[in-house]
Amino acid sequence: MTEPKTPADTATPAYDFATAEPLWQERWERSGVFNVPDVPPADRPKYYVLEMFPYPSGQLHMGHVRNYTLGDVVARYKRAQGFSVLHPMGWDAFGLPAENAARERGVHPGKWTMDNIAAMRTTLRQLGFSFNWDREIATCEPDYYGKQQKLFLDMLAAGLVERRESWVNWDPVDNTVLANEQVVDGRGWRSGALIEQKQLSQWFLKITKFAPQLLDGLSHLPRWPERVRTMQERWIGRSEGARVRFGLHEPPAGFDVDLDSVEVFTTRPDTLFGMSFLAIAADHPLAAKVAKKNAKAAEFIAECHRLGTSEEAIETAEKRGFDTGLRVSHPFMPDRSFPVWIANFVLMDYGTGAVFGCPCGDQRDLDFANKYRLPFIPVILPPDADPQTFTVTDRATDGQGTLFNSAFLDGLDIATAKKEAIARLEGLGVGRGVVNWRLRDWGISRQRYWGCPIPIIHCDSCGAVPVPDDQLPVVLPEDVTFDRPGNPLEHHPTWKHVACPKCQKPATRETDTCDTFVDSSWYFARFTAPHAPQPTVVAAADGWLPVDQYIGGIEHAILHLLYARFFTRAMHETGHLNVDEPFAGLFTQGMVNHESYRDADGNWLYPDEVERTATGATRRDTGAPVTVGRVEKMSKSKRNTVAPVTIIERFGADTARWFVLSDSPPERDMEWTESGVAGAARFLQRLFRVVRTVAAGVPADAPCPAQVAKAADTLRRATHRTIAAVTEALEGFSPNVAVARLHELTSALADAEKHADEDGVAFARREAATTLALLCAPMVPHQAEAMMALLDPAGRPVVERAWPKAEADLLAASEVTIAVQIMGKLRGTVAVAPDMPKDDVIARAEAEPNVARLLEGARIVKRIYVPGRIVNFVVAK
RNA sequence: GCGAGCUUGGCGGAAUGGUAGACGCACGAGACUUAAAAUCUUGCGCCCGCAACAGGGCGUGCGGGUUCGAGUCCCGCAGCUCGCACCA
């Protein structure tokens, strides 16, 4: 077997990470230095750092390493700054993969999950993260999900939960409900069966009740990325318009329609006079009534349903419709009537599920009208268009214009016409101005075993009865089987059969469990008092929340973050805490990418199997050529993954941490490269050697004389400028810049060795070495401790030391280089003392040989001096 | 279609309107070594120029503008990436 040659195993390393890392991890753990009380201490400011907790898939991946390293840098830095830091970790432990494992391999979801957690916890501990491990929670534990059941019941009592019928994707082979992403091209991802839309009774959390607050709250989250706020804003989707009722004419013979009107939502009530038709969704109640008597309508609706689930179909589907034969009258023109169509482009989920078609102002309506040859007239006249000749053929009018062909709206601009139309509608009692929201209530019912049971008992006499508090938690049964399709809870012989809490008659438990997004909607609050008998302890939750810095992937920009924001408000309303926004600061980190490799037969190869050469790559075992593919997200299918455990074994945790922080800014994607890791390991060894040289060769009590040699002064200034620069970089979430500055100070310290015997250099070297240990500690905490232990064997560990402070009078360089420009072009530089008066600097600049040469014979009309930076001469020709 | 972001050497990237390319990777040269690894020194945007030392021109996707001075600010364009998308 050919092991790759690495610096760590081919040379005797100065620093033995394999021994040092476990040692320091154990010391930190034993001293409990990262533990904080449930209620934050009053003597220090609090800081809550949280990284999105992982799904326990079994193996920690590099994305996790990057995420948790970033969080750990913040946590350790803030601790050193004197904050009381809450930095917990847990497991998002419910979910489908565990059930899939059960079906495929016969292992119980609980055992599979707990084994995975154990494996991943080991890796997390090896990485040396400063977690308060006493607070670890797993959402699949009854202690957690039981509290979640309590929250559910409190929300039910507060009117924030509702049970109602809803459409779901139904897999008729697996007998189960599928999430949208499990439906591929209209078929179940597992069974391949054609998916049906089916109505089921489902539990809903009424997130729409908070739609205005969830929208307004976004403007008070300045420390969130702009794009996440924008995405949420659009998801919530506030729009102003009107609801308009269209009276339904007497249906032709044979119809069974007991409705007298159809309500429509529109943002363009101003264009009512341009109406051409009325269109309803395939799921609209009126459509169902029509279908009862009309087989062709029923066929059309069924077709719409089949297309409904495939995204591709939606994208490419042309506008299609079915004329019901019904007609409605126009609110402003009672003598005119318009046809009612069922149209595939009208969504039941949005507005009222019905629209009025105005072809001149809406492209979809225009396409539809043209296809079915429905007549219409234009009502919006673009600026500069002639009302006599203006027509709309295949391009709808968007943007500005004035109303025409519109009776009392003629001549008005669009905004005024909207107001006027709404006023008239309200006057006639056939419509009103409304605010419509895109946001839908959150259906949380899942027909699954491995989730939090919804704590409800269904009784024939009493209906849906909440499980009483003293019977919580409703615990999942252990003895379940996955040998047939459907929900194991449903099949369990005894679990669901209970007495009704109200009337004691035989009743059945709700067998649906919660969407796993519920579990992650409040874990940040549970972390503040993870062992409390209630879901939260208000003093703890209020004391620690909001999370000061939340860190995770952009993929959760909408759902998770919106649900958590909703849950926080709902918990506020039910008395579990007193804050509204869970996350004051949000940081979304980029992905970890890697080159991908394929052999001649097109098989993907792991990076370990590949040897990079100057020209390309070859197989490590056979030497056969390898095609180097794109740099893309690490994924098992492309085999372009690097396992954190392997890196920890070969290079140590600190090298892995250092590398994911170097080079790329954290919000961007980074490329994992073998040479980059080696470079990181190389630097850390060098850093250690440089510091060790100081620890071994420079007396610890070296004095700082009043007069020091230039080398000492230079090094001291470098040290203090580095303190300022690293502090600024970490405050600004730029660990890559902090890394660069630490490289520089390390080089400066190594250079100073040449001047070891000069006045004050010993002191300056000690100071620089100690500072390096402190500044690198958030990034490479183990090595920082090891270096500090050499420098100050009797002193306290780094985790108990404060962040260094830069001395103001050492921040400026002792000598500054001034760029000298003529007309903005660089022509030379001069070195001056930073406090040299302006006129002297300019005189020096003018005397610089090359500058003087070029200024000869020219008339200087202006001399600009930016202190410490540049001199610029403006000359006349 | 709508929205957001990005575009700087061979590569990742740095840069309060003030010396563009810090720092790293890769690569080249040298020292040490029997040799290699490791380590150390050193070079490295492109072009012209010079024996050498100097110098000079062009350069941050493209085109304009503001300014003594623009990677940075403004206007327009292109390309790439991501998100949303029949939302009435």
Side-chain angles (χ1 to χ4, degrees):
Chain A
M1 175 168 164
T2 5
E3 268 294 306
K5 293 276 184 268
T6 66
D9 58 27
T10 51
T12 311
Y15 168 60
D16 176 17
F17 62 82
T19 311
E21 289 182 352
L23 177 93
W24 288 106
Q25 285 158 17
E26 200 206 309
R27 287 198 193 171
W28 297 328
E29 186 67 23
R30 230 181 17 226
S31 67
V33 68
F34 303 127
N35 296 350
V36 285
D38 283 358
V39 178
D43 61 335
R44 279 187 285 172
K46 70 91 182 177
Y47 201 91
Y48 187 173
V49 189
L50 185 66
E51 299 102 60
M52 291 179 183
F53 66 166
Y55 178 79
S57 59
Q59 230 203 18
L60 208 72
H61 55 71
M62 277 305 168
H64 292 127
V65 174
R66 196 178 192 202
N67 192 177
Y68 301 139
T69 300
L70 281 169
D72 201 45
V73 168
V74 175
R76 287 178 180 268
Y77 167 69
K78 288 289 176 184
R79 271 194 78 251
Q81 289 274 35
F83 288 83
S84 178
V85 173
L86 174 60
H87 188 209
M89 180 44 69
W91 310 94
D92 190 11
F94 273 138
L96 209 46
E99 281 190 51
N100 293 340
R103 284 179 207 280
E104 284 158 17
R105 280 178 273 158
V107 54
H108 189 276
K111 176 171 168 34
W112 184 83
T113 304
M114 290 323 247
D115 288 352
N116 287 348
I117 287 176
M120 290 170 75
R121 186 196 294 116
T122 301
T123 314
L124 281 184
R125 284 182 176 271
Q126 287 174 337
L127 282 159
F129 297 130
S130 64
F131 294 130
N132 184 167
W133 280 108
D134 292 355
R135 293 174 183 274
E136 181 180 359
I137 53 183
T139 57
C140 65
E141 289 164 349
D143 186 58
Y144 183 84
Y145 69 72
K147 306 300 183 291
Q148 186 164 304
Q149 291 166 345
K150 169 69 176 156
L151 291 179
F152 176 90
L153 294 174
D154 286 354
M155 289 180 196
L156 180 65
L160 295 171
V161 179
E162 208 171 76
R163 184 171 160 83
R164 66 172 105 111
E165 296 267 303
S166 158
W167 292 101
V168 294
N169 302 312
W170 181 257
D171 183 325
V173 171
D174 275 358
N175 272 326
T176 187
V177 167
L178 296 182
N180 284 334
E181 55 271 21
Q182 293 168 339
V183 181
V184 182
D185 287 333
R187 291 173 182 274
W189 66 321
R190 187 169 295 278
S191 67
L194 273 178
I195 296 307
E196 299 166 3
Q197 299 294 303
K198 189 171 160 179
Q199 284 223 315
L200 280 187
S201 250
Q202 309 256 328
W203 290 97
F204 283 85
L205 297 184
K206 292 168 81 173
I207 188 171
T208 53
K209 203 180 161 191
F210 290 97
Q213 292 93 319
L214 289 168
L215 182 65
D216 294 345
L218 291 172
S219 56
H220 302 118
L221 294 171
R223 291 175 51 229
W224 277 41
E226 174 79 34
R227 63 171 173 151
V228 175
R229 281 182 283 159
T230 309
M231 284 159 83
Q232 293 215 351
E233 197 180 307
R234 297 182 125 223
W235 189 263
I236 295 167
R238 179 184 194 275
S239 67
E240 288 181 9
R243 282 186 176 229
V244 185
R245 250 190 0 261
F246 287 87
L248 209 50
H249 283 210
E250 194 61 30
F255 275 82
D256 173 22
V257 174
D258 51 0
L259 288 171
D260 58 5
S261 67
V262 183
E263 195 171 38
V264 149
F265 172 72
T266 178
T267 56
R268 294 300 300 273
D270 54 308
T271 63
L272 269 165
F273 285 100
M275 177 169 182
S276 164
F277 58 91
L278 189 141
I280 61 175
D283 295 332
H284 195 279
L286 182 59
K289 288 178 199 293
V290 171
K292 260 193 233 163
K293 299 284 171 167
N294 185 326
K296 282 188 178 164
E299 171 52 29
F300 179 75
I301 292 167
E303 220 172 289
C304 289
H305 279 161
R306 277 199 297 278
L307 277 171
T309 45
S310 153
E311 248 179 66
E312 228 182 307
I314 291 172
E315 249 174 72
T316 53
E318 57 174 333
K319 315 258 169 295
R320 295 182 51 210
F322 180 87
D323 187 351
T324 63
L326 295 167
R327 295 188 77 84
V328 290
S329 38
H330 192 282
F332 294 148
M333 301 180 286
D335 52 326
R336 304 229 6 226
S337 75
F338 295 92
V340 176
W341 287 66
I342 300 169
N344 66 343
F345 67 89
V346 179
L347 308 172
M348 190 60 217
D349 271 356
Y350 187 78
T352 60
V355 302
F356 82 85
C358 172
C360 79
D362 183 295
Q363 193 60 45
R364 288 163 311 185
D365 295 347
L366 181 60
D367 295 346
F368 191 80
N370 284 339
K371 170 157 185 175
Y372 293 104
R373 301 179 186 285
L374 304 171
F376 65 91
I377 52 163
V379 290
I380 302 290
L381 186 68
D384 311 326
D386 177 0
Q388 302 305 317
T389 58
F390 178 72
T391 54
V392 169
T393 51
D394 56 3
R395 190 90 205 129
T397 310
D398 44 12
Q400 286 307 299
T402 49
L403 275 289
F404 76 128
N405 295 335
S406 293
F408 52 82
L409 298 177
D410 279 355
L412 299 179
D413 65 85
I414 291 171
T416 313
K418 280 184 186 174
K419 282 189 201 124
E420 179 60 24
I422 289 171
R424 296 270 184 153
L425 289 167
E426 287 175 350
L428 291 166
V430 293
R432 65 202 155 90
V434 294
V435 172
N436 192 60
W437 301 85
R438 181 182 177 277
L439 186 67
R440 305 263 62 94
D441 278 334
W442 176 15
I444 59 158
S445 293
R446 298 290 182 273
Q447 291 69 35
R448 304 278 176 211
Y449 166 72
W450 196 233
C452 167
I454 293 173
I456 293 290
I457 291 164
H458 297 285
C459 169
D460 286 342
S461 319
C462 311
V465 181
V467 173
D469 277 4
D470 61 6
Q471 291 176 29
L472 293 181
V474 176
V475 178
L476 287 170
E478 284 285 322
D479 51 336
V480 282
T481 52
F482 292 89
D483 47 8
R484 53 179 162 151
N487 182 354
L489 290 178
E490 193 66 48
H491 308 147
H492 192 278
T494 56
W495 183 78
K496 69 176 175 184
H497 300 290
V498 285
C500 169
K502 270 195 189 158
C503 67
Q504 309 307 322
K505 279 193 262 181
T508 54
R509 286 192 188 283
E510 171 69 65
T511 55
D512 285 355
T513 52
C514 288
D515 179 3
T516 55
F517 272 119
V518 178
D519 311 335
S520 54
S521 289
W522 71 288
Y523 76 110
F524 47 87
R526 182 66 184 168
F527 271 142
T528 64
H531 311 298
Q534 320 81 29
T536 62
V537 172
V538 175
D542 289 356
W544 285 110
L545 290 171
V547 173
D548 295 277
Q549 189 61 62
Y550 195 35
I551 306 172
I554 187 70
E555 66 273 20
H556 293 113
I558 297 180
L559 294 183
H560 162 58
L561 291 168
L562 192 63
Y563 291 150
R565 295 182 62 222
F566 156 67
F567 235 77
T568 306
R569 284 169 171 81
M571 288 173 75
H572 189 171
E573 197 156 307
T574 49
H576 292 284
L577 40 72
N578 292 295
V579 293
D580 285 329
E581 287 294 344
F583 313 121
L586 173 69
F587 190 91
T588 52
Q589 99 264 3
M591 294 184 301
V592 181
N593 296 337
H594 196 286
E595 280 180 334
S596 52
Y597 308 103
R598 305 181 95 146
D599 66 15
D601 301 329
N603 303 311
W604 299 104
L605 298 171
Y606 286 106
D608 265 3
E609 302 173 299
V610 173
E611 177 98 55
R612 282 302 253 126
T613 62
T615 47
T618 55
R619 279 194 71 124
R620 208 176 270 285
D621 49 1
T622 62
V626 166
T627 310
V628 177
R630 290 187 5 186
V631 173
E632 54 193 321
K633 183 183 180 180
M634 285 190 181
S635 78
K636 279 184 190 149
S637 61
K638 303 265 168 68
R639 296 199 167 181
N640 61 339
T641 55
V642 175
V645 277
T646 316
I647 299 299
I648 294 169
E649 271 170 30
R650 266 182 218 164
F651 300 97
D654 282 340
T655 293
R657 295 171 58 123
W658 188 258
F659 179 59
V660 295
L661 296 169
S662 310
D663 297 351
S664 296
E667 68 276 11
R668 279 195 224 171
D669 290 354
M670 68 168 289
E671 187 188 351
W672 184 277
T673 61
E674 322 314 314
S675 61
V677 187
R682 200 185 308 142
F683 169 75
L684 290 179
Q685 289 295 336
R686 174 166 180 250
L687 170 64
F688 190 86
R689 281 195 311 273
V690 170
V691 169
R692 186 183 56 185
T693 308
V694 173
V698 182
D701 53 357
C704 180
Q707 284 295 313
V708 299
K710 190 176 178 191
D713 187 57
T714 304
L715 181 56
R716 291 207 67 199
R717 286 176 193 277
T719 299
H720 287 268
R721 278 210 307 278
T722 304
I723 294 172
V726 170
T727 304
E728 191 193 327
L730 294 186
E731 287 287 344
F733 242 102
S734 303
N736 53 321
V737 178
V739 162
R741 298 290 93 88
L742 290 169
H743 273 278
E744 285 168 344
L745 183 57
T746 304
S747 294
L749 175 55
D751 284 348
E753 202 177 326
K754 290 176 238 156
H755 306 277
D757 298 331
E758 296 171 22
D759 285 342
V761 169
F763 176 86
R765 287 174 74 197
R766 275 272 162 187
E767 181 186 45
T770 307
T771 302
L772 272 172
L774 292 172
L775 292 181
C776 75
M779 285 81 100
V780 286
H782 312 90
Q783 181 166 336
E785 295 286 8
M787 295 191 302
M788 189 62 83
L790 287 181
L791 289 164
D792 186 9
R796 289 177 301 149
V798 175
V799 284
E800 289 175 26
R801 294 185 186 227
W803 193 248
K805 279 198 170 53
E807 286 174 30
D809 52 350
L810 289 172
L811 278 179
S814 57
E815 189 181 78
V816 292
T817 306
I818 306 285
V820 185
Q821 302 178 338
I822 297 169
M823 299 298 283
K825 276 196 184 300
L826 183 72
R827 295 303 177 189
T829 58
V830 290
V832 302
D835 54 355
M836 183 181 276
K838 173 181 174 179
D839 291 347
D840 296 359
V841 177
I842 289 174
R844 287 281 302 281
E846 244 175 293
E848 202 277 334
N850 195 45
V851 174
R853 180 176 67 86
L854 290 160
L855 282 176
E856 222 174 76
R859 187 167 60 84
I860 302 173
V861 295
K862 202 171 176 186
R863 298 169 169 84
I864 292 158
Y865 175 52
V866 181
R869 300 273 188 185
I870 62 131
V871 171
N872 189 14
F873 296 109
V874 184
V875 298
K877 284 185 188 137

